[in-house]
Amino acid sequence: MITLDNVHKHFGPKRVLQGVNLTIPRGESMVIIGGSGTGKSVALKSVLGLITPDQGLITVDGKDASKGDRDKFLARFGMLFQGGALFDSLTVWQNVAFRLLRGSLKRPKAEAREIAIEKLRRVGLTPDVADLFPSELSGGMQKRVGLARAIAAEPEIIFFDEPTTGLDPIMSGVINDLIREIVVEMGATAMTITHDMTSVRAIADKVAMLHDGVIKWTGPVADMDQSGDPYLDQFIHGRAEGPIEAVR
Amino acid sequence: MSLTAPIAAIGRQTLAFMALIGRAAIFASQGLSHIVRPPFYGREFLVALLQIGWLSLPVVGLTAFFTGGALALQIYDGGARFSAEAVVPQIVAIGMVRELGPVLVGLMIAARVTSSIAAEIATMKVTEQIDALVTLSTHPMKYLTAPRVLAALIVVPLLVGIGDIIGIFGGFVVGTGQLGFNAATYIKNTADFLQFTDILSSLAKGCVFGGIAAMMGCYFGMNSGRGAQGVGQATKGSVQAAAVLILAANFLLTSLFFSS
């Protein structure tokens, strides 16, 4: 279980998180929605320790995320980055098997390659892409490789940062289905940030709406349309009029 | 605008500059400490050796050769004013080994390697590859900085040594081909005149300049701003800082080796 308790973060004069409280139960898929610049990525990166909160406590299974063995802590996580964040200098299979080629999860090279190819197959890529470089792949294929890398070490917790940004609707649907299948199949705890409502409905067990640095609404995805929350309503229906100021 | 505004502006710039030096120094000490602490990334080290050393050889060789040749012409012409044309081999040797070899190689490395490291790491930062490294339990300082700095510390002195030899050879080609020196006498005068301290200082400068060049590339890359502009600024800043620090370090090292 992941909990964020009164988490604050500011960058210069901009107060991004102003007391975020959120609980993600083990094995559930939580999707955080909210407009651009509302701090969704900051919240996610704070859990991973990529950003240090100014105030508040983040715990994973009851333990303070900022303390203890970082390597051990991070070995429990997999993450799909918005742009894939694949390493240009490494081939596709070396990207997927990155964690398996070094550190505490190191395996023999042949075994790591085998696992990488199996994970590539899992995300719908054929073994012939294994020896290509990321720059030789399309955006959709890069996302799939990023997804394969995120699940390569069988993590307990997977984070997805804007998984469908920049993809056409069909490829977005494919990625959404893959994410849902993988999360269910692995029994992983998932935290996704997006503003793509199709993704939300495909991926989420629960939804949290982040606005003005706080969680405005949280609940099961099935309750989202009848929430009665004016912020959530405006956001999910994409209305320019409402409590969320839209800059024209 | 108050009368003190220009002084305040200078003060702000000075404080910002001092803060930059402080941050860079802390970064350098962290980078150096990661060189000696496991885990070690052998593949990244070998790639850095190849990129910093082997692939810099053509530019270093050509720069040294033409500089050695030009130096021979200058010394011959300048020396003729007081009948000292014969000192060309000695001055070319001492000029190349003590000063021009290390400084030119250092500046060439700053132009070629520092810029490349800064642009590569800054792009990695902008595209979240550095964050990805962290989430994959890999320390960016260990994976990106330590191999590059270690490779530069080892390979740049070698490049300086090669640059010294090629520079002296450039002087030899001009001296024997154009200025009428006897080949055997030229070589003998060069060899007799050079001392161990000259060679040692040259290689030591190479080591320090290599460390500065790689460290500045990594520092500016890791601390780059967002987007293409951030990458551009990081690249420009890294080369400027490396060039200035190399010239400042050259002065300090020359004082250290030869002030007596």
Side-chain angles (χ1 to χ4, degrees):
Chain A
M1 186 166 77
I2 303 168
T3 60
L4 287 85
D5 183 12
N6 194 29
V7 174
H8 289 250
K9 181 68 189 177
H10 77 280
F11 296 99
K14 191 172 162 62
R15 292 166 64 184
V16 180
L17 303 181
Q18 301 182 59
V20 169
N21 293 296
L22 188 66
T23 300
I24 305 163
R26 182 187 277 263
E28 280 201 357
S29 175
M30 169 70 81
V31 174
I32 303 177
I33 57 173
S36 301
T38 50
K40 302 186 298 293
S41 291
V42 175
L44 186 144
K45 287 181 177 179
S46 296
V47 177
L48 287 167
L50 296 172
I51 289 173
T52 310
D54 303 325
Q55 192 187 321
L57 179 67
I58 297 171
T59 62
V60 176
D61 291 339
K63 288 181 190 155
D64 188 342
S66 65
K67 298 199 170 86
D69 184 339
R70 287 289 295 161
D71 194 14
K72 222 173 179 179
F73 174 77
L74 288 167
R76 301 176 64 189
F77 288 83
M79 172 140 179
L80 170 62
F81 285 85
Q82 188 175 346
L86 302 176
F87 305 122
D88 308 321
S89 58
L90 302 179
T91 59
V92 164
W93 85 264
Q94 287 169 335
N95 265 282
V96 174
F98 191 91
R99 206 197 276 271
L100 306 174
L101 291 167
R102 44 187 72 74
S104 58
L105 302 175
K106 189 172 178 175
R107 315 268 176 96
K109 200 174 170 182
E111 190 187 334
R113 185 183 161 94
E114 209 171 287
I115 293 170
I117 288 174
E118 181 207 319
K119 297 298 176 191
L120 286 170
R121 267 205 202 95
R122 180 65 197 87
V123 298
L125 293 172
T126 50
D128 57 299
V129 302
D131 293 310
L132 298 178
F133 282 91
S135 58
E136 298 173 274
L137 306 178
S138 67
M141 288 168 92
Q142 288 189 14
K143 282 270 167 141
R144 289 182 194 227
V145 175
L147 185 54
R149 185 174 69 181
I151 61 170
E154 309 275 342
E156 298 163 49
I157 304 161
I158 314 177
F159 285 178
F160 303 98
D161 185 359
E162 308 272 9
T164 56
T165 299
L167 300 180
D168 66 66
I170 295 168
M171 186 52 70
S172 296
V174 170
I175 295 288
N176 287 336
D177 289 349
L178 270 173
I179 289 174
R180 187 68 203 172
E181 281 169 28
I182 285 167
V183 168
V184 170
E185 173 183 302
M186 292 172 67
T189 306
M191 183 170 162
T192 305
I193 57 173
T194 186
H195 34 224
D196 175 357
M197 292 315 295
T198 310
S199 287
V200 176
R201 294 177 200 283
I203 297 171
D205 291 322
K206 282 189 177 164
V207 178
M209 163 88 188
L210 184 62
H211 183 70
D212 269 347
V214 292
I215 299 292
K216 289 282 186 194
W217 182 88
T218 183
V221 66
D223 296 352
M224 190 171 66
D225 293 310
Q226 298 84 37
S227 71
D229 182 89
Y231 291 91
L232 185 64
D233 273 350
Q234 185 188 351
F235 189 83
I236 62 178
H237 295 111
R239 286 195 292 262
E241 303 300 323
I244 303 172
E245 270 183 51
V247 180
R248 286 171 187 266
Chain B
M1 194 174 77
S2 81
L3 287 172
T4 56
I7 298 168
I10 293 169
R12 274 195 301 274
Q13 292 295 323
T14 309
L15 285 174
F17 180 67
M18 298 310 285
L20 171 70
I21 290 178
R23 282 196 300 272
I26 291 167
F27 181 89
S29 66
Q30 287 174 346
L32 290 171
S33 79
H34 281 294
I35 288 175
V36 292
R37 285 186 289 151
F40 305 109
Y41 295 106
R43 180 186 175 276
E44 282 63 39
F45 171 67
L46 291 175
V47 170
L49 270 186
L50 183 77
Q51 288 185 339
I52 299 172
W54 181 249
L55 298 178
S56 297
L57 266 177
V59 70
V60 163
L62 286 170
T63 307
F65 181 82
F66 290 124
T67 304
L71 188 60
L73 288 173
Q74 291 278 18
I75 301 302
Y76 187 81
D77 184 62
R81 294 177 194 169
F82 44 95
S83 306
E85 303 96 321
V87 296
V88 167
Q90 293 91 328
I91 302 296
V92 167
I94 202 167
M96 283 307 302
V97 173
R98 280 189 178 194
E99 198 63 33
L100 288 172
V103 169
L104 286 174
V105 170
L107 293 177
M108 284 298 126
I109 293 296
R112 192 187 164 277
V113 174
T114 308
S115 58
S116 150
I117 291 175
E120 185 184 354
I121 295 180
T123 304
M124 287 183 78
K125 190 179 177 201
V126 168
T127 56
E128 294 186 302
Q129 291 179 51
I130 306 259
D131 284 347
L133 274 179
V134 176
T135 63
L136 293 165
S137 307
T138 303
H139 199 304
M141 287 291 278
K142 264 191 203 312
Y143 186 74
L144 297 173
T145 303
R148 285 166 171 79
V149 172
L150 180 61
L153 288 172
I154 292 169
V155 86
V156 176
L158 294 176
L159 284 174
V160 167
I162 292 166
D164 291 347
I165 294 166
I166 294 175
I168 291 170
F169 177 68
F172 170 82
V173 169
V174 171
T176 55
Q178 194 175 335
L179 305 175
F181 281 85
N182 174 275
T185 313
Y186 193 102
I187 292 167
K188 186 178 182 308
N189 284 346
T190 300
D192 287 350
F193 197 71
L194 276 181
Q195 294 176 350
F196 176 70
T197 322
D198 300 328
I199 296 163
L200 182 70
S201 75
S202 190
L203 300 182
K205 282 181 176 181
C207 189
V208 173
F209 298 169
I212 289 171
M215 200 63 88
M216 286 301 103
C218 294
Y219 173 76
F220 279 87
M222 292 272 197
N223 292 285
S224 78
R226 289 181 179 185
Q229 196 180 20
V231 176
Q233 296 278 14
T235 309
K236 185 180 73 178
S238 70
V239 176
Q240 282 174 347
V244 171
L245 285 175
I246 283 169
L247 294 173
N250 180 56
F251 172 72
L252 289 174
L253 288 169
T254 303
S255 307
L256 191 71
F257 275 103
F258 304 110
S259 61
S260 61

